[in-house]
Amino acid sequence: MSVYTDGETRADEPAFAGFNARRFEPSYAWAAQMLAGWRESDLTGFAEAARKENLDAPEGTEQKVGSGDETGWVRYYPQMKDLVETLRANGFDVRIISASAEPVVRVWAAELGFTPDKVMGVRTERDGDVLTSKLVPCGGETAIPYIEGKRCRVNEDIFGVKGPAAFEQQAEPKRAAFGAGDSDTDVTFLTDATALRLVLNRNKTELMCTAYDNADGRWLVNPMFIDPKKKQGDPYDCATEGYIEPSGKDAPLHRADGSVVPDQQDAVS
């Protein structure tokens, strides 16, 4: 579990190196690669069983995984179900994109009426009906739906943009109208949304700096619906550590015009 949760070995050494941190989160990719050797039908069964166990568990339940205690319960937000249904009722083509393994995401998305073709996650190649550990590339390189990799997958799958251009922001006709997310991994594809962008506040620095700066007036911030985070006392360090560089280091966050985003006070909790 230390490899997945902390990106470290049990000896506290980095588990991964040599990756673009805006296009690839190796622990998420590794988790998908660990499914190699199974048929998708098998994985569907595993995910359905885990889903039921965690939905049935009381709030606050923990479960032992390896040597650690991990969260052992989960809930669908009724508010997000309502949002999905309302968007569909008004003619929107609603999709889910996640940095989790796609076969697993499909199981969780089915509850909300998403068919497999409306789900995007970390993909690995198949050998017949068996998953392999080889990641499906995006934009001509090894990338998963993570920060810029989410933009790439949306551009490739939905708008047909191929090659390195899939990492670039497209003209408005080839961009989503609305997006919602809660993590730094969502910031790039949310920025692409042309009308509105909904952020659930989990105190993720780059996302919250971008949303609170609200440079074009199209960002909406909402607290988490279950156990919302407390309002941070200190501002987000946007001007010095608000941007995740490809190297993984933190750097100042810049607006599209090149100006630096000032530190932002947490205002919604």
Side-chain angles (χ1 to χ4, degrees), residues 110-244:
E111 171 75 13
L112 303 181
F114 287 95
T115 53
D117 62 308
K118 302 292 186 182
V119 176
M120 295 170 282
V122 180
R123 294 175 182 164
T124 56
E125 294 187 1
R126 305 296 197 266
D127 181 4
D129 63 348
V130 175
L131 277 72
T132 74
S133 61
K134 186 175 182 180
L135 296 165
V136 174
C138 190
E141 66 179 73
T142 301
I144 66 170
Y146 187 83
I147 310 184
E148 292 176 1
K150 282 193 175 179
R151 169 188 282 167
C152 182
R153 182 55 54 80
V154 168
N155 284 343
E156 278 201 348
D157 283 14
I158 301 175
F159 298 110
V161 181
K162 303 300 182 184
F167 288 108
E168 303 298 325
Q169 187 178 76
Q170 302 299 302
E172 287 200 7
K174 286 191 173 183
R175 286 159 59 187
F178 173 83
D182 66 358
S183 182
D184 288 336
T185 183
D186 300 319
V187 67
T188 298
F189 99 90
L190 288 181
T191 300
D192 288 347
T194 59
L196 290 174
R197 305 134 193 164
L198 173 64
V199 171
L200 298 187
N201 185 2
R202 291 203 300 126
N203 299 149
K204 299 299 182 179
T205 300
E206 184 171 343
L207 180 63
M208 298 315 300
C209 285
T210 305
Y212 280 137
D213 185 51
N214 198 13
D216 61 2
R218 298 181 184 275
W219 292 86
L220 306 171
V221 179
N222 202 84
M224 295 167 60
F225 299 112
I226 299 175
D227 293 335
K229 297 284 187 181
K230 292 182 179 179
K231 190 177 296 184
Q232 286 194 170
D234 295 329
Y236 291 96
D237 295 325
C238 312
T240 54
E241 300 179 353
Y243 178 78
I244 301 169

